[in-house]
Amino acid sequence: MRVRPAAYLRTTLPLDLSVLGELDSGRYHSIWMPDHMVSFWPDSIWTPEFTDLATVSPSPHRHLDGMAVAAAAAVLTQNVPLVTSVVDTVRRHPSLLAQSALTIDHLAAGRFILGLGSGETENTVPYGFDFAAPVSRFEEALRVIRLLWDGDGPVDFDGRFYRLRHARLDTEPYGGRLPPIWIGGSGPRTLDIVGRYADGWWPTGAWSPEDYAEKLSAVRRSADKAGRDPSAITPCFIQVCLVGRDDAALAEILEAPLVKSFLLQVSAEVLRKAGLQHPMGENWRGYQDIDPAVLTRERIVEFLDQVEPEMILAMVPHGTPQHVARIIKDYVDAGLRVPKIMDYGAMAGLRYTAQSAQNVRDVEDELMTLCGDVS
């Protein structure tokens, strides 16, 4: 398949659906819609003291339901595929996911892709959901979805997490084609699950082109072992980067508290491989340990004081749009085909937020030029 970028539709307030016309114009491979209860940004630093973004939004957690927004986007677009990135299998029962996916796919006339993941602490534990054994629960949820989609009549199932008794889902798929399932994940067990179940994949962390290639190879080995076509799994990635129009802008971006806070999403193990110590301690697990409501101001200020620019720079592509595009091209050479370029420089403040959309378009344009006829 040809290399084409994906677009992101924000599912936070204020919701702007007016951009859908532009995103449906043919430029993008697909539109991805996140599904969260809360964001990664700690409440304690979402204040004007730390960021002027807090002067225009009272909270970083004004999230809307990703599946509902996908349904709205389905009737407001005509061409581009729509992807949830990602819905977890903890907060929603797989039977409801199976039905909702078919529903949205009918609204979208066959353009919906069900993006799934095993979940995150911050979106589950505060709400009383059982987050034990999330990967095992995830795999079982996939089995239930497939049983309901593929079953001819009532389905019985006795699992560790789910039980079905004479359960049926007689809604036929749009055009006789089931919605594809894309999976987000990076752990060894999840990569194996991707190969056995998924039609598309993006890692929750790939910190170099070599890391991406290694994970993609694991997915393809699993697919081949399961008797599936490895090349039929679409390789994607949400490519976090920092785009600065010049060195001075990049240096200023790197000092912004919310940009520094990106490091909370990175595990100590990953940072250690880059020869650096994580400010949150040697056992920090990255996004799985984030609970934005309980990370106190004191703890975050201590963390911010210890974050050095090289820690961020070691984790994400950075520089001018042209330079960032060249780095992402290395991921393309490693197998990536659908990149979503996410400029975290937008979190440096209102001034940089205003420039970020153009930065991303410039990276996309340069990347497409570099890729040429890569397929």
Side-chain angles (χ1 to χ4, degrees):
M1 61 178 294
R2 297 292 297 273
V3 178
R4 289 178 66 198
Y8 223 47
L9 178 66
R10 292 174 58 88
T11 54
T12 51
L13 291 176
L15 181 64
D16 183 11
L17 297 179
S18 68
V19 301
L20 285 171
E22 177 185 353
L23 302 184
D24 195 33
S25 64
R27 177 183 177 90
Y28 294 104
H29 172 279
S30 44
I31 301 174
W32 298 359
M33 286 156 282
D35 184 66
H36 288 270
M37 298 294 288
V38 295
S39 296
F40 294 118
W41 315 113
D43 298 348
S44 57
I45 59 169
W46 193 269
T47 69
E49 176 187 0
F50 292 97
T51 175
D52 60 3
L53 297 176
T55 65
V56 296
S57 180
S59 168
H61 312 304
R62 301 162 71 199
H63 290 278
L64 301 173
D65 183 284
M67 296 286 278
V69 174
V75 298
L76 294 173
T77 55
Q78 295 181 343
N79 305 301
V80 67
L82 307 166
V83 190
T84 51
S85 63
V86 294
V87 175
D88 71 64
T89 53
V90 180
R91 291 178 292 138
R92 290 179 172 88
H93 193 281
S95 63
L96 296 181
L97 284 170
Q99 184 189 42
S100 295
L102 290 180
T103 302
I104 300 172
D105 201 39
H106 275 271
L107 294 172
R111 293 178 291 116
F112 181 64
I113 297 170
L114 180 60
L116 294 173
S118 59
E120 299 153 338
T121 301
E122 63 172 2
N123 289 305
T124 55
V125 173
Y127 304 95
F129 291 101
D130 182 2
F131 196 53
V135 177
S136 296
R137 181 187 299 272
F138 176 61
E139 181 172 11
E140 192 168 296
L142 287 167
R143 290 180 63 193
V144 170
I145 291 170
R146 288 296 190 192
L147 279 171
L148 290 170
W149 280 356
D150 297 335
D152 183 15
V155 172
D156 292 334
F157 177 76
D158 285 299
R160 176 181 173 187
F161 304 98
Y162 305 106
R163 289 176 176 80
L164 305 181
R165 289 289 179 270
H166 307 296
R168 60 193 308 148
L169 184 57
D170 290 351
T171 303
E172 63 270 19
Y174 181 87
R177 173 183 173 272
L178 289 165
I181 290 178
W182 287 7
I183 292 175
S186 290
R189 286 182 61 199
T190 303
L191 295 177
D192 179 61
I193 292 168
V194 171
R196 289 186 281 117
Y197 287 94
D199 305 292
W201 164 75
W202 56 92
T204 50
W207 306 106
S208 68
E210 294 76 19
D211 189 25
Y212 188 92
E214 181 179 337
K215 289 179 167 65
L216 180 57
S217 293
V219 166
R220 288 174 169 168
R221 286 194 301 270
S222 174
D224 185 64
K225 186 176 179 181
R228 304 180 69 221
D229 179 4
S231 66
I233 299 174
T234 302
C236 312
F237 192 26
I238 300 175
Q239 179 68 73
V240 174
C241 56
L242 293 175
V243 185
R245 308 306 293 194
D246 52 39
D247 290 343
L250 183 60
E252 186 173 327
I253 288 168
L254 285 165
E255 289 301 317
L258 293 184
V259 173
K260 287 184 174 183
S261 294
F262 167 75
L263 206 64
L264 292 171
Q265 300 178 43
V266 179
S267 72
E269 179 183 5
V270 166
L271 202 59
R272 192 159 46 242
K273 290 179 180 178
L276 300 163
Q277 291 185 322
H278 203 293
M280 294 298 286
E282 62 181 14
N283 296 318
W284 183 254
R285 297 182 302 159
Y287 67 90
Q288 289 291 5
D289 276 346
I290 297 175
D291 187 339
V294 301
L295 286 169
T296 66
R297 181 188 185 280
E298 292 73 22
R299 182 67 186 94
I300 294 300
V301 168
E302 179 186 2
F303 159 79
L304 293 173
D305 286 343
Q306 296 178 49
V307 174
E308 299 294 339
E310 58 264 29
M311 296 176 181
I312 305 293
L313 297 178
M315 294 295 102
V316 298
H318 53 276
T320 64
Q322 294 72 27
H323 184 70
V324 169
R326 288 195 293 272
I327 298 172
I328 298 175
K329 174 59 165 55
D330 292 338
Y331 284 82
V332 170
D333 293 341
L336 172 64
R337 290 299 177 266
V338 184
K340 167 62 194 95
I341 298 160
M342 181 179 289
D343 175 26
Y344 261 48
M347 303 310 296
L350 293 172
R351 170 188 169 196
Y352 288 102
T353 299
Q355 179 64 45
S356 183
Q358 187 59 53
N359 286 345
V360 169
R361 289 184 67 88
D362 290 347
V363 175
E364 292 169 350
D365 288 344
E366 180 67 17
L367 179 62
M368 292 304 94
T369 299
L370 292 173
C371 289
D373 57 1
V374 171
S375 61

